[in-house]
Amino acid sequence: MSKDQQEEVSTQTQVGKPRRTNSSRFNADEEGKRRATLLKRVHVVRTRGERIQVSFDAKGQPIGKEGDELQSWIGVLAREHIPIWIADFRSADLEPRKEQVWLEVVTSFTVDESHKKQVLKSCGESAKCFRYDLYQAFVRDHIDDESVWQRPAKVVKNYPTISQDDWERFITYRRTGDFKRLSDQGIERRKKSKYGSTTGRDGYRKRDQEIFEKTGSYADRHVIWRDTRIKPDGEYKNPSIKIIGDQIDELTQQDTQGSFESVGTEDILTKSLGNPEHSGRLRGQSKFVKQAQYYNAMHVPRENPEVSFMKRQLASLERTVQELCAKHGINRETMAEEAAPETVDQHNSFKASCTLNEKDADAPDPQPMPNESKECQLFLTDFINGGEVLVALGRAYMDYVPTDTVHGIPLGAGNVRVTISVPKLKRALIPIPTNEATYIEEAVGGFVAWPKKLVVIQSSLSQASRGPSQAPDPEAKGKKRIKKRAGRNKLHSQPEVQQQTAEEVPPTFDFDAIPIELRPLAYYAQSSLSDGSQISCPPQQSDEMPIYIGYEDVYDFITFKEISASSIMVYISYLSDCCARVGLDQRFVFISPFLVSPVQQNVDRVAYIRERADNIIRIITNIPRGRLVLMPYNSGQHWILAVINPWDDSVLYFNPLGNDPGEDFQQLITLALNDWKLLVGRGITKRRNCKTLIQTARCPIQQGNVQCGYFVLGFMREITLNVDGLALLQNKTSYNEADLNLVRQEWTTYVMSFIQY
């Protein structure tokens, strides 16, 4: 190094100790130093129209020389395509650039679509490291100097893709308080890191491959973690790592003797480190390895995360109890014997059928509970044929407060708390699912919320008199429809079920309670539709059947009650027209809820899911890349919206109740997208049985009981009529009355446009 260069380096590092960085890559003028990577072999292969064949092991890691070239090429693409001023690689603004990176990768290497996420993740990390090196080499020590705004000569020479504007935006962000805060947080986290590896880039991946080549099998992750922290002389990097290494050796010996069993992430490494594994992390493995791939390759049984969490909680409580007993000198065994009550042949049990102990003569008579339960029949609405279907028997607690909770969820207005004792249709979806139960058979013996109008009190009927209600006559389709909406067949609380009359008077509007904008349609429905006439609305697609709206649909919508699938389809048709007028009709595809919602109960469940999945496949078969699929879905008395991106194998799940998707929805989506990938030849045969990424998205949460349908209409409006609708919806925290009334006004105006006077 020349004297001038020595002076320059000395000037740049006057304050503090020298920092270890990869800034040598910028010293292109120094002989023997690392220069900007060009990877000429990749360019030569691309010029010939060929691609480099990359092999992946069972864990999903690129292996061999070609794997190393792929990693290096990803770094080159990160420097060329990812702006240095970007603050977050997850930004939606980067999606076009990510697609360009992926296109460059598959143009030069044979990489399957299933590795796309990990390739882009590696690209993000490479871009982050590049920005860090630039900052350390040229900015940190001169952040307050005016000269820092000018691109350094070495950056101009080695990285011509970095423009002056890019550099200025890079400096601007590095001067902000947000960056300073994040930088300080990173420094503090780094100080807490005691177990740094002794290897360089891809140390885990290369060590894993070395062991596999020697032994023919993969090593456990605790072996790789330990090996990558041992220096060439055989000593651990520092005393802290030696403690963990000794713990690993001890647990490995116990595992060999059979006294320690690894289950999922609760393995030797997790036990030795003393803190649990997070879902997005797998210590001791490269960034290309996902947890599922690791466990499949190692044939390790995976444990439910909730079970693992509960085990850790119990262990923590046990340690706390032991510490308290030791502190106060308490013998737990003696305390347990003293606290045990005297018992003589006790038979009492919550579930026992044997004779109970005789009543104590001195005991007072039990007082009735303030909220007595009554025997009842539980119904669900048949959205296709009309009416209701008996799905279960149970007991209902009719005295309720809307703020009462069931499994932590507010009961809501119009609902009662019920317990199911006898399921009639075991696989019927309960109207208000919980995290514990989705189907009738899963809720037996537990409490769930149920719409009060679908509960029939049967306190004086004998068990023998109960039976499933008669389903509507399928041949009656096309006749005059008296009842079609949810809750049409009025459920009474008299001892006996009242018989439906042949002709039932439809409900009438309270015009004073209806917003002025909705009254014209209400007047028309009252005068022209109460006799069974219908309004014919055009469908979304010209080859589909018209949508028919009857008096019951209008009454429900205007009086803010549950809405039918027909009402949903009318609004979809309206949104399609709006998108066509503003040139956004090529961005979205809608799927009718009639085709995907589980409205039939007593059918072959597997065949029924297959039938609905085929409907999805038929609609998305020919959609181009980049188009989103909007699918309203009724899980049983509750509407949700699914936004599907089939090309990215991802689904955003918008639920106005905030619950996670149920089993039927997950199986339907996974089956449809996996078979679609096979149909269009995307080469994902090996992943046929994998689960599609279904993400529960943030969205406004409903406060009432009947608002879900209107919220779903609002979700679709937000997404389709805004340029960045998905992001706007996920940032929106609530819908007020004005938001919902806007949707209702648009629906009403659209229906009015098809009235023929």
Side-chain angles (χ1 to χ4, degrees):
M1 182 181 296
S2 66
K3 183 177 180 180
D4 293 338
Q5 290 172 332
Q6 290 177 351
E7 291 177 355
E8 179 183 356
V9 173
S10 176
T11 303
Q12 293 179 357
T13 58
Q14 286 177 357
V15 181
K17 296 181 180 180
R19 291 175 295 274
R20 295 182 59 188
T21 70
N22 290 330
S23 58
S24 59
R25 72 169 64 179
F26 305 110
N27 298 327
D29 297 334
E30 300 178 30
E31 185 177 357
K33 294 296 183 179
R34 182 170 181 260
R35 293 168 173 78
T37 305
L38 297 178
L39 290 178
K40 294 183 179 179
R41 178 171 179 263
V42 177
H43 290 284
V44 171
V45 172
R46 293 183 59 176
T47 304
R48 297 173 181 170
E50 301 173 357
R51 293 192 295 174
I52 299 175
Q53 182 72 35
V54 181
S55 299
F56 291 81
D57 61 13
K59 296 181 181 180
Q61 302 175 114
I63 58 177
K65 175 185 175 183
E66 294 78 10
D68 295 340
E69 289 179 330
L70 172 62
Q71 285 288 78
S72 297
W73 185 243
I74 291 173
V76 172
L77 297 178
R79 295 192 292 271
E80 289 184 353
H81 295 285
I82 307 302
I84 61 173
W85 44 264
I86 198 70
D88 190 347
F89 191 72
R90 296 167 296 182
S91 172
D93 297 335
L94 279 182
E95 290 303 321
R97 296 178 181 269
K98 292 179 185 178
E99 289 298 328
Q100 182 63 30
V101 169
W102 175 246
L103 181 61
E104 292 277 359
V105 169
V106 297
T107 303
S108 307
F109 297 86
T110 55
V111 181
D112 191 82
E113 185 88 14
S114 59
H115 299 290
K116 178 179 179 180
K117 182 177 179 180
Q118 297 303 101
V119 167
L120 294 180
K121 179 181 178 181
S122 179
C123 177
E125 293 181 357
S126 298
K128 181 179 179 180
C129 292
F130 181 58
R131 295 194 298 271
Y132 173 79
D133 291 339
L134 285 174
Y135 177 73
Q136 292 289 81
F138 303 111
V139 179
R140 179 168 181 169
D141 295 330
H142 312 281
I143 189 66
D144 296 324
D145 298 343
E146 289 300 321
S147 60
V148 77
W149 293 98
Q150 189 63 34
R151 282 180 301 168
K154 295 175 182 177
V155 172
V156 175
K157 179 179 179 180
N158 295 330
Y159 303 100
T161 56
I162 301 178
S163 65
Q164 179 62 30
D165 180 62
D166 291 339
W167 184 260
E168 291 177 358
R169 296 178 68 177
F170 173 67
I171 300 300
T172 300
Y173 173 68
R174 298 284 159 160
R175 284 186 165 190
T176 60
D178 288 342
F179 173 76
K180 182 67 168 58
R181 176 178 52 82
L182 293 175
S183 178
D184 292 342
Q185 291 177 358
I187 292 173
E188 291 301 319
R189 284 196 298 265
R190 182 60 183 169
K191 289 180 180 179
K192 297 177 182 179
S193 177
K194 301 179 293 184
Y195 312 125
S197 171
T198 60
T199 61
R201 186 183 67 172
D202 295 335
Y204 287 147
R205 181 174 66 95
K206 292 183 178 180
R207 180 56 183 161
D208 200 2
Q209 293 172 17
E210 290 174 2
I211 296 176
F212 184 82
E213 291 172 359
K214 291 180 180 179
T215 64
S217 60
Y218 294 108
D220 291 316
R221 62 193 187 105
H222 66 267
V223 175
I224 299 175
W225 187 94
R226 180 193 58 195
D227 289 355
T228 53
R229 284 158 178 81
I230 298 178
K231 297 186 292 184
D233 59 4
E235 297 294 330
Y236 285 103
K237 186 177 178 181
N238 58 52
S240 300
I241 296 177
K242 186 178 186 306
I243 295 174
I244 303 299
D246 294 341
Q247 179 72 7
I248 289 175
D249 294 338
E250 181 181 347
L251 292 177
T252 302
Q253 186 176 1
Q254 294 179 13
D255 188 31
T256 305
Q257 297 171 354
S259 58
F260 179 85
E261 182 180 0
S262 297
V263 179
T265 57
E266 297 294 327
D267 58 5
I268 293 176
L269 182 59
T270 300
K271 185 72 174 178
S272 300
L273 292 174
N275 54 348
E277 200 76 34
H278 298 306
S279 59
R281 178 183 69 182
L282 192 63
R283 293 171 292 193
Q285 295 291 300
S286 73
K287 55 182 172 290
F288 273 91
V289 181
K290 303 176 184 177
Q291 288 192 11
Q293 292 172 314
Y294 173 79
Y295 295 131
N296 290 336
M298 303 297 295
H299 306 290
V300 177
R302 278 179 284 173
E303 186 176 49
N304 188 310
E306 295 181 0
V307 175
S308 177
F309 175 76
M310 291 300 298
K311 285 183 177 180
R312 293 196 299 271
Q313 291 291 92
L314 289 174
S316 176
L317 290 174
E318 178 65 23
R319 288 193 299 270
T320 302
V321 171
Q322 291 177 355
E323 293 173 358
L324 290 174
C325 290
K327 179 179 180 180
H328 298 284
I330 299 175
N331 188 322
R332 296 179 64 186
E333 295 181 358
T334 304
M335 181 180 63
E337 293 175 357
E338 294 174 352
E342 295 184 3
T343 58
V344 180
D345 190 23
Q346 291 212 359
H347 299 287
N348 291 348
S349 171
F350 289 107
K351 297 185 179 180
S353 59
C354 56
T355 304
L356 300 178
N357 293 331
E358 294 186 5
K359 180 181 176 183
D360 188 349
D362 297 331
D365 293 333
Q367 297 297 320
M369 294 188 62
N371 188 7
E372 291 285 355
S373 63
K374 299 180 181 180
E375 293 187 5
C376 65
Q377 293 179 333
L378 303 176
F379 289 80
L380 286 179
T381 302
D382 187 337
F383 284 98
I384 290 184
N385 299 314
E388 284 78 31
V389 178
L390 177 66
V391 295
L393 306 176
R395 303 189 69 86
Y397 296 79
M398 303 304 291
D399 297 331
Y400 70 95
V401 178
T403 56
D404 291 345
T405 60
V406 177
H407 297 286
I409 301 175
L411 188 63
N415 296 332
V416 295
R417 186 162 52 98
V418 304
T419 179
I420 298 175
S421 56
V422 180
K424 291 293 184 181
L425 295 178
K426 294 183 178 181
R427 298 303 293 177
L429 293 163
I430 59 178
I432 304 175
T434 66
N435 292 330
E436 290 80 12
T438 303
Y439 298 96
I440 294 294
E441 63 180 359
E442 298 172 348
V444 174
F447 287 100
V448 294
W450 206 280
K452 184 177 181 180
K453 65 182 182 181
L454 296 178
V455 178
V456 176
I457 301 301
Q458 298 291 323
S459 57
S460 65
L461 291 182
S462 64
Q463 178 73 24
S465 68
R466 297 192 185 96
S469 63
Q470 295 295 324
D473 183 6
E475 297 181 359
K477 272 186 124 180
K479 298 181 181 179
K480 183 177 180 181
R481 293 181 291 175
I482 303 300
K483 289 296 171 184
K484 173 187 166 188
R485 66 181 174 88
R488 287 297 194 295
N489 298 335
K490 300 297 182 183
L491 303 178
H492 302 279
S493 299
Q494 284 80 358
E496 296 184 1
V497 180
Q498 296 184 1
Q499 298 293 326
Q500 285 278 356
T501 59
E503 295 288 338
E504 185 174 346
V505 179
T508 56
F509 289 96
D510 180 5
F511 291 99
D512 293 334
I514 299 174
I516 297 177
E517 298 83 358
L518 310 184
R519 290 180 185 177
L521 182 58
Y523 284 124
Y524 178 84
Q526 188 86 30
S527 61
S528 303
L529 301 182
S530 57
D531 62 350
S533 301
Q534 297 174 326
I535 302 172
S536 176
C537 301
Q540 174 198 356
Q541 302 292 338
S542 58
D543 57 346
E544 296 177 352
M545 295 292 293
I547 307 167
Y548 293 99
I549 297 297
Y551 180 84
E552 294 81 3
D553 299 302
V554 175
Y555 181 85
D556 282 347
F557 205 96
I558 290 181
T559 57
F560 211 82
K561 298 184 182 300
E562 300 99 328
I563 59 177
S564 64
S566 296
S567 299
I568 296 282
M569 285 302 299
V570 166
Y571 199 71
I572 286 177
S573 182
Y574 163 75
L575 291 177
S576 298
D577 289 350
C578 292
C579 290
R581 287 196 297 269
V582 297
L584 298 178
D585 53 326
Q586 299 302 316
R587 294 176 55 197
F588 305 100
V589 173
F590 295 91
I591 296 181
S592 168
F594 286 113
L595 300 177
V596 294
S597 299
V599 293
Q600 300 180 29
Q601 306 295 342
N602 51 347
V603 295
D604 183 350
R605 182 171 175 270
V606 176
Y608 190 35
I609 291 180
R610 171 76 274 170
E611 175 187 345
R612 292 181 286 139
D614 289 341
N615 291 334
I616 298 176
I617 295 171
R618 174 175 53 82
I619 294 174
I620 70 175
T621 294
N622 297 318
I623 66 170
R625 187 184 294 272
R627 189 170 297 189
L628 297 179
V629 179
L630 273 61
M631 188 183 83
Y633 171 90
N634 193 300
S635 59
Q637 295 289 326
H638 180 61
W639 286 103
I640 62 95
L641 177 67
V643 180
I644 307 172
N645 189 339
W647 291 98
D648 283 352
D649 200 15
S650 63
V651 178
L652 287 177
Y653 178 84
F654 293 92
N655 188 341
L657 286 178
N659 298 336
D660 292 332
E663 180 183 358
D664 180 87
F665 179 84
Q666 293 188 40
Q667 292 181 352
L668 173 68
I669 293 296
T670 301
L671 179 61
L673 291 188
N674 281 345
D675 283 8
W676 172 78
K677 286 180 285 190
L678 296 176
L679 181 64
V680 299
R682 295 183 64 195
I684 321 225
T685 307
K686 295 181 180 179
R687 301 178 66 233
R688 179 184 177 90
N689 295 323
C690 74
K691 283 193 174 182
T692 297
L693 175 62
I694 302 177
Q695 178 182 356
T696 302
R698 293 177 55 189
C699 64
I701 301 299
Q702 68 184 77
Q703 301 300 322
N705 180 42
V706 299
Q707 298 174 338
C708 57
Y710 304 92
F711 270 61
V712 167
L713 299 186
F715 294 167
M716 292 192 293
R717 185 185 193 280
E718 202 89 43
I719 294 171
T720 56
L721 301 186
N722 295 284
V723 176
D724 198 10
L726 276 175
L728 292 175
L729 175 58
Q730 294 182 74
N731 291 327
K732 201 174 186 69
T733 57
S734 63
Y735 277 155
N736 54 34
E737 184 178 356
D739 295 326
L740 299 181
N741 282 341
L742 176 61
V743 172
R744 297 171 68 202
Q745 293 171 20
E746 292 175 342
W747 186 92
T748 303
T749 304
Y750 189 70
V751 172
M752 286 287 293
S753 65
F754 299 104
I755 293 177
Q756 298 179 356
Y757 294 95

